[in-house]
Amino acid sequence: MKIDTLDKELQKKVVTMLNEAEDKSEAIYQAAVMIAEEQHKHLISELVEENARAAADEDYRKKLGLRVLTKEETSFYEKFKDIKQAITAEQIDILPTSIIDRTLDDIKKSSDILSMVQMAPADVKKWIVAEHSGKAVWGNLTDAVQGELSASIKGLNIEQHKMTAYIVIPKAIRDLALPFVDRYFTAVLAEAMQDGFVTGYLSGDGKTGPIGIMKQIETFKEDGTADDKAVINTVKKVFPERPSGSQKNADK
């Protein structure tokens, strides 16, 4: 969340804290926590309430359909108890691929745009593609085989760019049971991933990300970014489709 989109009171508090702090790195961290808490306050409140109720009501817990975390996921979320430790350089690559793949599945189901995109699993480094030529030929059972198929196989390196995002886990979430930490983390991750993937799919520049569908594939500018596709028509007005017969009624 940008500072200029915050509540005025919180915006003033964040700016004052950043200006007056002696330890700038600590102030930036605290500001990030405050912004995250404001941005996701409704989700945080909901999860805190559900966690408290689930701890006392096993039937309610079962109705929530909480995931059973894998060993790797459990280890990952346990490190959030000390959030500063959880983001050290030594741990930068410990995000389990199962979390990424599960989140990708969720956003593909909820996004009309991303549902059209084919994505490789998070741990896939190369994508194998094949093209075939030739055709099958009909003939008698005793005839020699006449049709011949040939195929060319090549590997595509899909480790070309990366998409990054910062996620701050508020203390109220870190104190919850791990399945609820997982729900918060994946909800925020899904929001960031959806925004990032849609932007890349539509308007990626081809230099620091994918070539978006609004860009030309083989034509690039001097700075290495892909040229925009030519716009044939400019839509100035959009009208909702009217039910059959509504035009006549409107004319009357």
Side-chain angles (χ1 to χ4, degrees), residues 6-61:
L6 295 176
D7 174 84
K8 294 297 182 181
E9 183 177 346
L10 179 58
Q11 178 181 338
K12 182 179 180 180
K13 185 175 181 180
V14 168
V15 172
T16 300
M17 181 175 63
L18 292 175
N19 289 336
E20 297 180 353
E22 295 182 3
D23 186 342
K24 295 298 183 182
S25 60
E26 176 64 20
I28 292 173
Y29 167 74
Q30 293 298 335
V33 172
M34 292 168 60
I35 293 172
E37 290 176 341
E38 172 64 21
Q39 184 177 15
H40 303 291
K41 59 184 178 182
H42 297 299
L43 175 61
I44 294 171
S45 176
E46 177 184 342
L47 292 176
V48 169
E49 181 180 347
E50 288 182 350
N51 180 83
R53 184 175 174 184
D57 188 338
E58 183 62 25
D59 291 336
Y60 174 75
R61 181 183 178 85

Side-chain angles (χ1 to χ4, degrees), residues 135-149:
K135 61 181 180 179
V137 178
W138 284 97
N140 295 322
L141 291 176
T142 56
D143 289 348
V145 175
Q146 301 180 53
E148 181 178 349
L149 301 178

Side-chain angles (χ1 to χ4, degrees), residues 175-202:
D175 292 339
L176 303 181
L178 295 186
F180 291 96
V181 178
D182 173 69
R183 287 184 59 183
Y184 177 86
F185 184 84
T186 53
V188 178
L189 180 63
E191 180 181 305
M193 289 176 68
Q194 178 162 324
D195 291 344
F197 277 122
V198 169
T199 300
Y201 176 67
L202 295 178

Side-chain angles (χ1 to χ4, degrees), residues 8 32 35-36 38 42 46 56 72 76 100 114 129 133 138 153 161 166 179 186 205-206 212 220 229 238:
K8 294 297 182 181
I35 293 172
E38 172 64 21
H42 297 299
E46 177 184 342
E72 291 77 13
F76 175 69
I100 299 176
L114 295 180
V129 296
S133 60
W138 284 97
I153 300 175
H161 304 289
Y166 291 97
T186 53
D205 62 14
F220 294 85
K229 287 183 178 178
V238 178

